[in-house]
Amino acid sequence: MENYLRVLEESLVKKWDVLCRIEELCFRQERILDKEPVAEEEFDRSIEEKGMLIDELNKLDEGFESLYGHIKEQLMNGRERYKPQIAALQKKIKEVTEKSVAIQAQERRNKKLAEDFFSKSRHELKKGRRSSQAALNYYRSMNNSQVVSPQFMDKKK
């Protein structure tokens, strides 16, 4: 049982580390989105990296839940015996939860920055399309205006 509790604690430590790296990526994304011009490729790389970390986090969660489900009954029956380890686990769970909440708040801020960036990009794209369309229409109208129909026609053969 001691080994199981140690594994649960190690899992929480790993989860904390992964959350710290995710938080750092969130701050990096915020810096990227705040700068003009936005480095889109760097932003894409950070999203891919964050996706891999989230996958790792999900695996850690699944492993933790699986192991906890396996020892839950024994842990509840020996609550007094494992009181210090349970307190340490609860403390780590609280820290991990607080870190998760902070990351979620940062993600909401980043989402707003990204929405603003994409809205601005769409507006510039529409503006570019209108300019291109106006230039094309001008070119067509100028092309058609230079065609001079014959004024006089010789009817003799």
Side-chain angles (χ1 to χ4, degrees):
M1 184 62 133
E2 299 287 331
N3 289 336
Y4 289 134
L5 292 173
R6 200 169 320 111
V7 169
L8 287 176
E9 188 173 352
E10 288 172 8
S11 175
L12 289 171
V13 169
K14 287 178 184 176
K15 186 172 181 178
W16 173 263
D17 291 340
V18 171
L19 286 171
C20 287
R21 293 190 320 214
I22 289 173
E23 184 177 44
E24 185 178 316
L25 283 171
C26 287
F27 289 133
R28 186 185 327 160
Q29 287 176 341
E30 180 182 32
R31 288 190 301 272
I32 291 169
L33 291 170
D34 269 345
K35 269 195 288 188
E36 287 291 331
V38 173
E40 294 176 42
E41 290 176 9
E42 187 178 345
F43 185 73
D44 288 343
R45 280 193 304 272
S46 68
I47 287 176
E48 289 174 18
E49 191 175 340
K50 192 188 296 183
M52 290 185 292
L53 290 173
I54 289 171
D55 290 342
E56 185 178 339
L57 194 63
N58 288 334
K59 288 176 186 175
L60 287 170
D61 279 343
E62 289 171 11
F64 184 90
E65 289 176 17
S66 173
L67 183 57
Y68 180 74
H70 182 68
I71 65 167
K72 180 179 179 180
E73 192 174 313
Q74 295 172 358
L75 196 59
M76 292 301 156
N77 291 338
R79 184 170 252 171
E80 287 303 314
R81 181 175 174 203
Y82 304 111
K83 193 170 186 174
Q85 292 96 332
I86 293 172
L89 286 174
Q90 288 173 334
K91 181 181 176 199
K92 288 191 183 329
I93 290 171
K94 182 181 178 204
E95 291 170 353
V96 164
T97 303
E98 288 171 355
K99 180 67 79 176
S100 295
V101 169
I103 289 171
Q104 289 173 0
Q106 183 63 40
E107 283 291 335
R108 282 192 293 277
R109 288 190 293 273
N110 287 356
K111 180 181 178 194
K112 175 70 171 123
L113 288 171
E115 287 173 348
D116 291 346
F117 166 72
F118 291 126
S119 174
K120 183 178 173 184
S121 294
R122 269 193 304 274
H123 177 71
E124 289 175 8
L125 185 62
K126 286 180 184 177
K127 183 178 167 184
R129 282 187 193 149
R130 281 191 294 254
S131 297
S132 295
Q133 188 64 39
L136 181 62
N137 289 340
Y138 176 77
Y139 172 75
R140 285 181 181 160
S141 65
M142 293 310 289
N143 231 3
N144 291 335
S145 69
Q146 292 181 5
V147 173
V148 178
S149 59
Q151 301 295 322
F152 300 98
M153 203 167 179
D154 190 8
K155 294 185 179 185
K156 291 184 186 177
K157 287 198 179 190

